[in-house]
Amino acid sequence: MQMPDPRLLATLESVVRHGSFAAAAGELGYSAPAVSQQIAELERRAGLRVLERRPVRPTPAGQVLLDAEQGVRSALAAAALELDALRAGTSGRIRLGAFASAATSIVPKALAQLQTSYPDVRVSLSQLEPEAGYGRIKRGDADLALTYDYDFIPQPPPRTLRRTLVARDPVVAVLPAGHELASRKVIDLASLAGETWVAAPEAALRLELLAQMAKTSGFEARLEYEGDDFNTILGFVAAGLCVAVLPRLALPRGVANVVARPLANPELTRFIYTVRLDTRHAPEALLALERMLTAQVRAVIA
């Protein structure tokens, strides 16, 4: 087989990521027929089909080439980062990703600190959940991210990334202030099984996981919420509509009509990390922002 052309590999990656030739064409600035021709040329060089067309997904050969494309992109991103570091790293741009509760409570103060210390550095922020954050850093589309996983559903980072534990964020039970269990200092998870819950897969722990951990049935949703805003969940709780379990970082201080209590049997923990490319050198301002984010997370959770 001929050596794959990196430009053709980039086209393949875009088609697979979007699941569409037309969407990839829009991103890359080509016409849809041109994208189709590039995929055909890649298949000619490989001597194998690289895509299934309906639905669009990679064949085993296509996945081999996607892995190669990811490796090339990560290597180039790492090289660019190290070159920035060697040039001094006190100016330029930092592309930051952070999950929702961190973007609200942690990032603003850290960016204010960074602006004071590094006034020539521009920062762009994207709200990203962990999987998307890892993907953007690997592709070279982000420089630093705040991510998380839970002790009962660990999510190891991809190779080539450096993930550093920042803090342990306890998961707590959140109840209406007038709830009969609100006076308890610690709440057994199983005691909440029969309560009214909200189904919020993007903003809360999945109810089937809670049932497994509590080793009891129940945890059935009577409310549905599609979104990633913890404040909406807290609004439901404050109105007496439901209970929830949320990481402590997601709870603003002094929320009216809501109480938060530590969980027991089992205790649950969310682990918060900073993530960047694993390079020998990193820009000074990037390392400073990583330290500032770490300090802010620890200050809020303490």
Side-chain angles (χ1 to χ4, degrees), residues 189-195 197 207-208 210-212 214-220:
L189 182 60
S191 68
L192 299 175
E195 298 290 335
W197 291 86
L207 299 183
E208 64 270 21
L210 295 180
Q212 290 172 19
K215 299 179 181 178
T216 185
S217 58
F219 299 96
E220 296 180 359

Side-chain angles (χ1 to χ4, degrees), residues 74-92:
S74 292
L76 291 175
L81 192 64
E82 294 204 52
L83 290 173
D84 284 345
L86 293 172
R87 282 192 291 266
T90 58
S91 62

Side-chain angles (χ1 to χ4, degrees), residues 133-152:
Y134 292 144
R136 285 208 190 178
I137 291 177
K138 283 192 68 176
R139 292 196 304 272
D141 295 334
D143 305 304
L144 180 66
L146 279 169
T147 70
Y148 65 85
D149 64 8
Y150 290 92
D151 47 6
F152 52 91

Side-chain angles (χ1 to χ4, degrees), residues 79-232:
L81 192 64
E82 294 204 52
L83 290 173
D84 284 345
L86 293 172
R87 282 192 291 266
T90 58
S91 62
R93 180 185 179 198
I94 296 175
R95 297 162 300 174
L96 174 64
F99 55 93
S101 54
T104 300
S105 60
I106 300 301
V107 172
K109 291 181 180 179
L111 294 189
Q113 286 182 293
L114 186 77
Q115 188 175 56
T116 299
S117 301
Y118 297 89
D120 295 328
V121 171
R122 294 181 297 114
V123 180
S124 59
L125 171 66
S126 298
Q127 183 178 309
L128 300 172
E129 291 304 298
E131 185 175 354
Y134 292 144
R136 285 208 190 178
I137 291 177
K138 283 192 68 176
R139 292 196 304 272
D141 295 334
D143 305 304
L144 180 66
L146 279 169
T147 70
Y148 65 85
D149 64 8
Y150 290 92
D151 47 6
F152 52 91
I153 40 174
Q155 185 178 3
R159 289 181 303 143
T160 76
L161 301 189
R162 177 179 298 184
R163 188 175 77 171
T164 303
L165 178 63
V166 170
R168 291 170 172 82
D169 186 13
V171 176
V172 297
V174 185
L175 312 171
H179 194 281
E180 62 181 0
L181 298 179
S183 60
R184 295 188 182 181
K185 293 183 178 180
V186 178
I187 294 180
D188 189 301
L189 182 60
S191 68
L192 299 175
E195 298 290 335
T196 297
W197 291 86
V198 57
E202 294 182 56
L205 297 175
R206 296 199 303 274
L207 299 183
E208 64 270 21
L209 287 175
L210 295 180
Q212 290 172 19
M213 289 180 290
K215 299 179 181 178
T216 185
S217 58
F219 299 96
E220 296 180 359
R222 296 187 179 91
L223 293 169
E224 300 276 343
Y225 168 56
E226 293 185 11
D228 60 3
D229 183 3
F230 285 118
N231 287 325
T232 301

Side-chain angles (χ1 to χ4, degrees), residues 4-63:
D5 184 331
R7 292 172 297 180
L8 300 182
L9 295 181
T11 298
L12 173 65
E13 188 276 337
S14 183
V15 170
V16 171
R17 178 158 44 86
H18 288 290
S20 163
F21 281 65
E27 178 180 71
L28 298 171
Y30 301 144
S31 66
V35 168
S36 182
Q37 289 168 10
Q38 289 190 27
I39 296 299
E41 175 62 15
L42 188 58
E43 291 181 327
R44 186 190 69 77
R45 295 188 184 195
L48 294 164
R49 289 180 64 84
V50 300
L51 281 179
E52 299 291 349
R53 266 57 174 185
R54 295 185 180 179
V56 173
R57 64 180 185 274
T59 64
Q63 189 59 56

